[in-house]
Each structure stands twice: as C-alpha cells, then as structure tokens.
C-alpha cells in the first residue's frame, strides 16, 4: 500500500481545492499507473484497450461475472502483449476481494448501473483513484452516499462522462469561453438513440439479434432493459447534461435548482417485440408492460437563470442525436441542423454552416492529441476521457467531473421519475455541494494538457 | 339583416355538430360575401388584399384607430378598383358601431391582442361569421367567455391560425393520416422568431428602425411590446400548437390535459436597447425591466398520451424556426434539419432529405390551389387561410378551428404564466368542450375543397 499512500499523501489537503498537485507521480519515470477494471463488458473492454495503448499504464486486475467477457478481455490483453491481469470472477461481490488484495492506484468501474455507486464507494474507501462510468442514479440517497464517500476519502471520484470530450462539444466550449454566444440563456441536449436493438437480442450476440432480455439476454440486454420495464424517467441523462454543464459552470459558480419531467405513452418496446421476426404477439415478452415512456422530456433551471431542455428517446426508430443547442445573447449553435448564427457575423436571421466555426475554434486539446485519438471509441473522444483520467490519477488531482457532478447529473433520473409520478410537478435539485458551488472554480480543459 | 339571417338560419342546429350545411350560400350566384375588417394594421391589410383578390367577396367596412393604417388600406382598395368600404375610425369602441350599422356576413378581427376576445364576442352576438386573428389569451376567464359567446350565438368563430395551412405542415398531416409515422408519440413546435426589430422601432417605420415602443412606437411596437414588459409566459403559442393539434386531433377525440412552463432570464430586449445606435445605456428605455424570459419552454401532455414541447423564443438573435418535430412509432420528421426517417424505408439509424416526401405527400388542397396562392402572405399559406374562411362563411359551416380550439390554444399563455409563477408547477388545461371532445369529429382539410 506504500506507493498508493505516497501518491495520495497530500491529496487530503487538496480535496476541497482545485489546485493541481505537482510532482507526486510518477515516483519513478519507469513506474506505471496500476489500474484495475471492474466490469469488463463491451464498455470495460474499450477502456482496457485504451489503457493498454498507453505506456504509462498497467492493467493489474480485471473483474467480471461473465466468462465470455473475461475471455474477450484476455484477447485484448494478448493483442497488446501486455502482462496478464489478475482475474476476479468469483461472483458479483468479488470486486471487494480485488480492492482488498490488489495494490492499485486507480480503478475503472464499468458495470451495470445498479452496481455503480456501491462499487465506487468501496473503491473510495480504499483510497483508490476511482473512475466511474456514467448512468442515472437508483435513488437520491445513493447520490448523497457517493458524495459522503468522496468527502470521507482521500481518493478521488472521476465521473467518466466521455461526451464532454466530443470534438464539437469542446470547440463550442472554446467558443462559449471566448464569449462568441454572449451570455448563455438556453440549452438543449439529451440522449436520443434507438436502443431497441440493444435492449433486446438473442442472448448470444449483443446487437439487433432478437427480442430477449434479462436472464435470456446478453450484454446490456441482460440488465439495462429491466430499467425500461420498471422505471419511467430520464434513465440516461449524463451525455446531455454533462457537456452543457460545462457551458454554464454547474457546481462551479452555478447550480441546477429544479426540474420538471414529462413522459409520453410507451409503445416502442412492445411493438418491437411484436413486429420482430423472432418475436410476435404470442412471444412471452409481448406480455411485458414497459413503464418507460417512449419520449421523456425534462426541463431544468439554473441559479444563474439559464434553462435546459433534456431529451430521452431510446424506444423509437430514429437517427442518433444528442440534440445539442447552445443559445446566448449573441448567437446560437444547433447540432441537428449543423448550423450556427452569430450576431454581427452571420447574415441577419440566417443560419451558417457550423463546421468552419468548429474548425476555427477546435479545442487545443484536440489539436494536440488528434493523432493519438485515431481509432479510439466514439469518434476519438474516449481517448481524451481515458487520457484525462490517467493524467489526473497520476497527478492525484481533483477530477474535472467529481462526486458533486456525478451526484447532480445522476440525480436527474430519480428526480425525473418523481416529477412524472406527480404529474410533471416541479422538483428541487438538492445542492450536493452544500454551498461549495458558490466559490468552486472551473478546472475542465483550461489548456491543452489533459 | 335579412340576408345574414338567411345564411345562418340553420346554423343554430349545426352549432354542436361537425356536419356541413349545404347550399345555404350564395343565395344568388352574383351575390358576394360581405366582409368587414376590424383592425387594418399590417396584418389586416394583408387580409384585405387577399379578400379583394377574390370575386366572391366584398369588403363593406373597415375599422381602425390609426389614420396612417386606414390610408394604407384605402390604397389597397384603390389598387383593386374595389368599392370603397365604409370607414370606422372614431376611436377604439367604433367597432361596436360598425357591427350595429353594417349588414355584413363576416368579420375579420386583426387588432392588438387585448382586443381580440371582446371584439369576437361582440361580433358573435351579432351572429356574424367571425374570423379571429391568433394570439395568446389575457386570462383563462376570457377563454371561457369566448366559448360561451360562441355557444350562445348562431354565428361561428373561425380562429385564423394560418400555419395549419403551411405546405410542409399539410404534407405531414397527409402523411400522419396515411399512418407513415405510426402512432404519434411526441411532437415539438413553437414560435422562434427574433422580434427585436418588431418590438422596437422609430415610431415611423415598422421594422428595425429604432428602440421605441408603446406610445412612441409604431405598428406592433405600439402594443405588442408591453406584453414583454409585463408578462412572463408563452405569449404566442398558436403557430406551434395549432398545427400539431391537427396531427393528434386535439378537441376531436383527444385533448390537452396539463402543461408545465419554464422561463430563462431576460436579457435580449434590454441588450438590444443598450446596443442599438439609436439607443444606449442612457436611453430611457434602458431602464425598462422586461418580465418576459428570453426563452420560454412549455411541455404539454394529451389525454391520448402524446407529449408536446412548445418553444417561445423572440428576444435573441436567431434564424426563424417554428421547430416542428413529429415523431411516432414508425418514424420522425424534423423541420430544423429538413429531414425524415421512416422505419423500413429509410436506412437504419439514418436521416433522409424530407423534401421528396413532402412533394410526394403534398396535400390535395395545395395541389389544387397552388397557382392561386402565389404571392399570398407567408409563402402562400395566407391564401388558403382566407380561402377556407370565406368558403366556410359562405356555406355557414362550422370552422375547422373553432371557439374550443381558440380557447384551448390561447389558454396556453395564461397557464404558462401561472406555471412559471409557481416555479414550473404542473397546471391543468380546462376542458373547454366540457366533454364534447370525446365524440367531436375532425373536419380540417379532409379533401381538396377548402
């Protein structure tokens, strides 16, 4: 445990600060960051690959309950000629044994949503730099527990919201910071992705292969779909709210004060089962009643007076869109029509193609690392996510998206469920920072380092 | 009064029905529909021009309080070599004298918003076929008063929502009715129009000429802007909600049950005054505090389980957009990216250009009257509006958008104000039909007649 203690020994005093800790890592230039991955499904395998591409990381251990996924992970390790990680595959609690036995610096958690917070808390308690994959929360209390564990720990919670690193999202962040849009007034975002072929499969291959889920499903269909059966709310808010939170400094001078959600009827998942060649009206799953409205829309307001419309739309045939719109007193960007309008530059009342602006204001981080990002997941942005995670872990620095952000963004899920249950009532967002948002400072992507 | 009585003598029995009255008009082929226009500002002048293009209409009287607008109207009459209408210009109550003295068949009301309902009620009381320009309501009670006046009258209230006749809107209606989108789940719409150059002018020319409003303003700036000073809500909901109401048969088998609204901070109008070359920080209007949030978003839900997002965005620099989106179990249309996706036709997860679909499903009404619509306002749709109004009035038929629709759509304004005042509370939409929506039938644009 010595090395880890060394890495973190001054992190305690910096926990409430945003100042970087300098020179804490590596203790030797040849020493690598020792990382474990808990959950090596499709997402965890992506992270494994990105970690093993780097010369400053070692994947010391992996943990999963599924033999097939463990075997796929071993193939990735082999491909990289990397040291074999210790395997933890003795059931759903085996991650505790990993955290107890392995002297690791950092962990990445990429398990089904229900395991996210318990695993992150266990990891924080071991003072391990903790990377947590995104999801909505199961409850508000869970969000508070995560915050308390982070506060009690000298580890750090890095909430792995990759879309914050998307190239256009970061170019627009650059534009926002250069006042191109003036004072921000309104934003839209969300998760609009036809997941019917993800929520159901044939139990063997992950995508578009059948109408099974739960025990008969494979990969995400084995656990993700149950949320659509039982819950009606924005189940996956962070790819939308994460990026726009950077535009208006949520939890760093600003905060979300309240929201209201509305859900449509639910038709898409049932229809998919009935209409599928492997399904039909007599298929057992045709009897399942899905709670999740096909379209869930949430409006959020901030302490600074901005409004945000957040979309959730995963059960209907539609092209993928995260629906970004950023609108201020001087201009507006919309992703769906790939257009921009800047007062005084664009012709009055006319759209312009956004791409020349996105090129001109390309974030320095993308300019610097563009080539290293080639081939990384989701258009390269996963490289930046893992790069940022690793560099922050190495430096023992506070992450740009911390436990307060994780709690705030994840809380949208149970809050939207409450709002919908109460006929779209207005629901307050807890201040998970307990006032610290008023003087916390922005740290995300201030330069080209990571 | 004889002729009017003749036209309407069986309209009483049809008032609660949707069946057309046949053969009531014209009593002679040579007799024209006698129309009066109350309010001959810019909008009323457009209607005047369209009426005078027709050989079945006579504009018998016009009413306005502004000499300049009366003179502009006289020019339009002169251009058409039409009979001079009787002028009513003796102050704001002179419309009552018009309704008392003139033996007219129909009236069009195109005055400032605050006058809409009182004037419509006065007209209905005279059993005149009443065309009412669109606006939000001043109060819920006003909406009820309009409904009661319509019920007590043997006249008809035609709510003049022109966007229902927009070519793409009608093509999509055609597609909806042919089940191209499957069961409708979610829609978006609204009014997103940078009106800063309309809300303020120099008091002489209507658009983009200064920073004056109210008594020092001209045209819309003389009355519309005061709503932005004093009210925070969706001030102009009907261009959005009218068209999408046709897609899900609002008040005809379906109804809006509740809504919630959220408003951003207000910056745009103040900034416009300060930054304008005729304004500045020392201009008296720079001290005005505008109540209207720059972006007001409303979510509405229907009895059939559809959701609607309604935008209001008139104070910021941006291109015009009514933000239409129509999404069902089989596909989605979005106006902003001019795209469509239809399951089984479009490539999976991919957009297609919407135009070939809009061409293929061009509504029969547009096909038939396309040439007559050339040159009419708002891309030709105003021709269809006036055509429909005149033909319905001639036939004494119930209008496709009646007092119940007017009340429902206009009520969104005070309801959104209430919701915003209560921190985005959920607010119930009154059932202005008092149950009649359950068996009322659709009449709008069922064929190519009008």
């Amino acid at each position: 445990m010595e090395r880890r203690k060394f890495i973190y020994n001054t992190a305690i005093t910096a926990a409430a600060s945003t100042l970087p800790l300098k020179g804490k890592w590596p203790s030797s230039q040849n020493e690598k960051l020792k990382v474990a991955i808990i959950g090596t499904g499709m997402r965890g395998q992506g992270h494994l690959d990105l970690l093993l591409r780097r010369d400053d990381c070692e994947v010391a251990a992996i943990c999963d309950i599924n033999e097939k996924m463990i075997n796929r992970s071993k193939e990735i390790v082999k491909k990289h000629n990397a040291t074999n990680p210790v395997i933890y595959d003795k059931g759903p609690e085996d991650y505790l044994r990993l955290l107890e036995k392995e002297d690791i610096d950092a962990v990445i958690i990429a398990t089904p949503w229900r395991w996210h917070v318990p695993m992150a808390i266990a990891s924080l308690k071991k003072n391990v730099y903790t990377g947590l994959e995104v999801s909505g929360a199961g409850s508000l209390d869970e969000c508070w527990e995560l915050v308390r564990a982070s506060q009690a720990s000298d580890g750090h919670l890095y909430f792995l919201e990759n879309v914050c690193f998307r190239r256009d999202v970061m170019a627009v962040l650059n534009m926002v910071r250069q006042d191109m849009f003036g004072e921000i007034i309104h934003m839209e975002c969300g998760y609009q992705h036809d997941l019917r072929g993800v929520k159901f499969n044939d139990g063997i291959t992950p995508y578009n292969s059948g109408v099974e889920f739960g025990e008969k499903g494979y990969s995400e269909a084995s656990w993700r779909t149950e949320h659509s059966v039982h819950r009606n709310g924005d189940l996956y808010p962070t790819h939308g709210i994460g990026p726009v939170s950077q535009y208006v400094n949520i939890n760093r001078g600003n905060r979300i004060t309240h929201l209201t959600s509305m859900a449509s009827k639910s038709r898409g998942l049932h229809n998919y089962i009935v209409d599928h060649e492997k399904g039909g009206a007599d298929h057992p799953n045709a009897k399942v009643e899905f709670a999740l409205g096909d379209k869930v829309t949430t409006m959020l307001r901030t302490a600074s007076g901005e409004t945000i419309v957040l979309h959730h739309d995963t059960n209907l045939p539609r092209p993928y869109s995260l629906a970004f719109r950023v609108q201020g007193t001087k201009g507006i960007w919309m992703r769906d029509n790939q257009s921009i309008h800047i007062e005084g530059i664009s012709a009055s009342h006319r759209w312009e193609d956004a791409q020349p602006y996105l090129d001109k204001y390309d974030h320095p981080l993308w300019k610097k690392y563009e080539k290293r990002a080639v081939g990384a997941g989701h258009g390269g942005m996963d490289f930046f996510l893992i790069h940022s995670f690793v560099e922050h872990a190495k430096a023992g620095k506070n992450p740009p998206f911390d436990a307060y952000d994780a709690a705030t963004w994840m809380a949208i899920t149970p809050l939207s469920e409450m709002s919908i249950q109460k006929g779209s009532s207005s629901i307050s967002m807890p201040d998970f920072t307990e006032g610290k948002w008023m003087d916390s400072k922005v740290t995300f992507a201030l330069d080209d380092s990571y």
Side-chain angles (χ1 to χ4, degrees), chain A:
Chain A
M1 302 290 281
E2 281 313 297
R3 196 174 58 115
R4 192 163 71 227
K5 289 238 171 93
F6 175 70
I7 291 175
Y8 287 103
N9 62 358
T10 59
I12 302 167
T13 54
S17 153
T18 53
L19 291 174
L21 299 171
K22 284 172 191 164
K24 291 299 146 197
W25 197 94
S27 50
S28 141
Q29 287 299 330
N30 298 323
E31 205 170 352
K32 294 187 175 189
L33 187 78
K34 286 184 75 177
V35 188
I37 300 178
I38 300 175
T40 56
M42 308 303 282
R43 185 67 181 150
Q45 290 165 38
H47 292 323
L48 174 63
D49 182 62
L50 287 170
L51 289 169
L52 293 179
R53 286 184 189 206
R54 303 178 64 96
D55 57 12
D56 57 357
C57 288
E58 174 194 341
V59 177
I62 63 173
C63 176
D64 206 288
I65 58 170
N66 185 295
E67 190 186 353
K68 201 164 160 182
M69 295 304 188
I70 291 280
N71 287 337
R72 290 175 67 127
S73 302
K74 284 178 178 170
E75 289 300 315
I76 293 167
V77 172
K78 198 173 167 186
K79 185 188 80 180
H80 286 280
N81 292 316
T83 313
N84 284 329
V86 183
I87 308 293
Y88 290 83
D89 58 358
K90 307 277 181 281
E93 307 287 342
D94 213 29
Y95 73 96
L96 294 171
R97 196 166 59 91
L98 182 156
L99 291 170
E100 195 59 45
K101 286 187 65 175
E102 299 293 326
D103 181 22
I104 47 172
D105 304 314
V107 70
I108 287 178
I109 297 164
T111 49
W113 299 340
R114 289 167 65 183
W115 292 91
H116 280 189
V117 172
M119 286 173 168
I121 290 172
S123 175
L124 289 168
K125 280 184 178 166
K126 294 288 178 186
N127 292 338
V128 173
Y129 203 100
T130 303
L132 177 61
E133 260 300 336
V134 297
S135 67
S139 71
L140 269 192
D141 188 65
E142 183 175 73
C143 300
W144 279 114
E145 291 290 318
L146 185 64
V147 164
R148 296 302 178 216
S150 174
Q151 289 171 337
S153 154
D154 55 354
H156 294 80
L157 192 284
Y158 192 123
F159 196 53
L160 298 167
E161 181 37 70
N162 61 342
V163 181
C164 293
F165 292 96
R166 208 171 84 172
R167 193 166 200 163
D168 58 347
V169 165
M170 292 196 77
V172 170
L173 177 64
N174 203 10
M175 291 181 70
V176 168
R177 289 175 175 175
Q178 294 188 40
D179 199 35
M180 291 290 290
F181 299 102
E183 184 176 353
I184 301 301
I185 299 291
H186 177 73
M187 301 183 294
E188 287 193 38
C189 58
Y191 191 67
Q192 302 184 123
H193 189 186
D194 175 3
L195 291 179
R196 294 173 303 162
V198 172
K199 292 185 183 185
F200 304 105
N201 56 38
D202 63 359
I204 301 160
T205 49
Y207 307 125
N208 303 307
S209 55
V211 298
E212 303 298 341
F213 70 96
E215 289 185 355
K216 292 186 176 177
Y218 174 62
S219 187
E220 288 174 83
S222 71
W223 58 267
R224 186 174 188 155
T225 315
E226 68 176 331
H227 293 268
S228 301
V229 177
H230 297 291
R231 306 177 74 182
N232 193 9
D234 187 323
L235 300 183
Y236 206 51
T238 73
H239 290 326
I241 201 68
V244 304
S245 290
Q246 310 314 310
Y247 299 148
V248 293
N249 304 329
I250 295 299
N251 292 336
R252 290 159 191 80
N254 196 5
R255 78 176 197 92
I256 297 167
T257 54
H258 59 286
L259 63 78
T260 171
S261 284
M262 189 172 281
S264 75
K265 57 190 161 190
S266 177
R267 293 287 185 274
L269 300 183
H270 172 79
N271 288 1
Y272 186 79
I273 292 163
V274 170
D275 296 341
H276 198 283
E277 57 178 9
K278 294 183 183 172
D282 297 329
H283 190 283
N285 287 347
K287 292 192 184 66
V288 176
E289 285 187 29
F290 294 92
L292 178 64
D294 290 337
K295 178 67 171 66
V296 175
T297 316
T298 302
M299 302 192 295
L300 307 99
R301 202 170 191 282
T302 72
S304 298
E306 299 94 2
T307 49
I308 303 167
V309 171
L310 177 68
H311 301 277
H312 185 264
D313 175 358
T314 62
N315 299 351
L316 299 172
R318 63 154 299 133
Y320 178 86
S321 167
L322 300 190
F324 287 114
R325 163 178 173 166
V326 176
Q327 184 170 14
T329 53
K330 294 183 187 174
I332 178 172
W333 170 61
M334 269 191 83
R335 177 61 184 83
D336 276 331
N337 62 358
Q338 303 180 45
S339 295
I340 206 164
H341 174 85
I342 303 289
E343 184 161 47
I345 299 176
S346 310
S348 189
H349 296 270
R350 289 283 176 271
W351 288 113
E352 281 189 86
D353 179 12
Q355 197 56 52
Y357 288 88
L358 300 177
D359 293 341
K360 181 176 175 184
Y361 291 92
D362 196 25
H363 194 280
L365 197 58
W366 266 92
K367 281 186 191 162
K368 183 173 173 185
Y369 288 108
E370 179 177 8
K371 284 182 185 163
R372 280 185 69 182
V374 171
H378 296 100
M381 64 191 178
D382 288 348
F383 161 79
F384 291 92
L385 175 71
I386 292 301
H387 179 63
S388 176
F389 172 73
V390 168
E391 295 296 342
H392 278 85
K394 282 159 59 178
K397 283 174 73 171
N398 286 321
F401 325 122
D402 60 17
Y404 299 121
D405 300 311
T408 304
W409 302 346
M410 293 173 82
I412 290 170
T413 298
L415 294 172
S416 75
E417 290 178 280
M418 289 179 211
S419 177
I420 289 165
Q421 283 162 8
K422 296 181 176 186
S424 299
S425 284
S426 179
I427 308 282
S428 291
M429 171 66 79
D431 174 10
F432 292 105
T433 76
E434 291 161 313
K436 287 190 276 290
W437 65 273
M438 292 184 278
D439 38 41
S440 290
K441 297 284 179 278
V442 170
T443 64
F444 176 59
L446 295 176
D447 54 38
D448 69 356
S449 51
Y450 45 81

